[in-house]
Amino acid sequence: MLGKLRLALMIPLAMACAACGTVRVETPKPPAHLLNCADDATPPDLAPVPWALGNLTEIQRVQAERDRQTFEYILAERSAGGDCRSKVKGVRAWAETLP
């Protein structure tokens, strides 16, 4: 009697286990937009300061243009660095949500 009861229980349990598929665990990939940083800024092609001319007005004008180009380059570099830092923080925040 006990053998028949055990057999009667084993058949439904075996069918239930067979219905279960294999479990696949996949590691999700980080979002693609967080994997690339902005390109570095291109250094400006600065004109030489015409010291030999001795014309103070021309020297000041050239130097002011050089300063403006250098300032824009520095801002572009900081922007690229900030872009990359924010994406790294985004990947870190995303990774912290994983189990």
Side-chain angles (χ1 to χ4, degrees):
M1 171 90 172
L2 190 58
K4 287 184 181 181
L5 181 60
R6 186 179 302 166
L7 185 60
L9 287 174
M10 293 298 279
I11 292 173
L13 287 174
M15 290 175 58
C17 287
C20 298
T22 59
V23 177
R24 270 186 72 186
V25 177
E26 289 187 30
T27 303
K29 295 182 181 181
H33 70 279
L34 295 178
L35 297 178
N36 297 315
C37 294
D39 293 334
D40 287 338
T42 304
D45 185 23
L46 300 174
V49 179
W51 297 109
L53 294 178
N55 183 349
L56 185 60
T57 305
E58 182 63 18
I59 292 171
Q60 288 173 335
R61 184 192 67 74
V62 170
Q63 187 60 50
E65 178 61 21
R66 288 171 56 100
D67 290 347
R68 185 192 63 75
Q69 291 175 346
T70 303
F71 181 68
E72 287 178 1
Y73 170 69
I74 292 169
L75 289 180
E77 276 294 306
R78 287 183 53 94
S79 176
D83 173 71
C84 201
R85 283 188 297 276
S86 69
K87 289 181 177 180
V88 168
K89 286 180 184 176
V91 169
R92 184 180 303 121
W94 169 81
E96 288 172 354
T97 64
L98 297 176

